[in-house]
Every structure is written in C-alpha cells, then in structure tokens.
Amino acid sequence: MEHIVQFAINIDDKTIQNRIEEHAYTDVLNKLTKEATDTVFAHTNAYSRENMWKTVLVGALQRFLEERKDEIIDKAANMLADRFQWTKKYREAMGATIAKDGE
C-alpha cells in the first residue's frame, strides 16, 4: 500500500538573513575576544591565567568604582529615600515635623 503525503516548506529568506545579521556581531566579537585572550595568556597555565584575570578584573572594577563613586552614592541615596517615603514611620515623622513647624 502506497501513501502520498504532500507538504510545503516556506523559507523566509528575510528572517534567516536578519537572524544571521543579529548573531554575526556577537559571534565575531566572541571569537575576537577568545583570540585576544589566548594570545595574551599564551604562555600561562590555567591557574596563572585565572590569577591574571582576577588581577585585571579587580583593577578594572576598582577604577570603575572610584570614577563613579559619587554617582553611585547619589543613586543609592535616592533609591533609599524613595523607599523610605513609602513607609508608615516616615509619613508619621513627616506629619509630626510639619505639625510642629506649622508648614
């Protein structure tokens, strides 16, 4: 007994092209990063490579935090103040202060 099955395949060239373009940048960047890392750490073993990365990352993180310290503190203070404004204790304290000062 023979069966005839018909089906159609719709290939959307534009979608395939878009997906390739979207992932191409990431793929190339990952490959370049790996090549650069392998070149920089070519003559090291896994343990020393990990220690070198830690040193590089700690230094970069310290510089980042030092450069943006004031901005980070301001942002954290604003977030904390926003959260306090929604607490019952804050509203009670502000109400008492306003009643005391008459403003």
Side-chain angles (χ1 to χ4, degrees), residues 37-87:
T37 302
D38 290 345
T39 301
V40 169
F41 298 120
H43 304 290
T44 63
N45 59 31
Y47 179 74
S48 62
R49 181 182 287 201
E50 184 177 321
N51 285 337
M52 288 177 158
W53 268 121
K54 283 182 183 177
T55 304
V56 168
L57 291 174
V58 166
L61 183 59
Q62 288 294 336
R63 284 191 307 277
F64 175 84
L65 292 174
E66 193 62 38
E67 290 171 3
R68 293 168 178 85
K69 179 174 48 176
D70 294 333
E71 183 181 341
I72 293 169
I73 291 171
D74 288 343
K75 195 75 116 164
N78 288 336
M79 289 173 66
L80 189 59
D82 288 343
R83 288 196 179 183
F84 275 135
Q85 290 177 359
W86 292 102
T87 64

Side-chain angles (χ1 to χ4, degrees), residues 2 8 18 21 31 37 50 66 75 89 94:
E2 291 182 24
N18 288 340
E21 288 173 357
K31 184 175 181 177
T37 302
E50 184 177 321
E66 193 62 38
K75 195 75 116 164
K89 286 237 180 225
M94 287 303 293

Side-chain angles (χ1 to χ4, degrees), residues 3-22:
H3 296 282
I4 298 175
V5 178
Q6 293 182 339
F7 62 93
I9 298 175
N10 182 14
I11 299 176
D12 186 2
D13 293 338
K14 190 66 175 171
T15 302
I16 293 170
Q17 180 181 355
N18 288 340
R19 285 194 181 160
I20 290 172
E21 288 173 357
E22 288 172 3

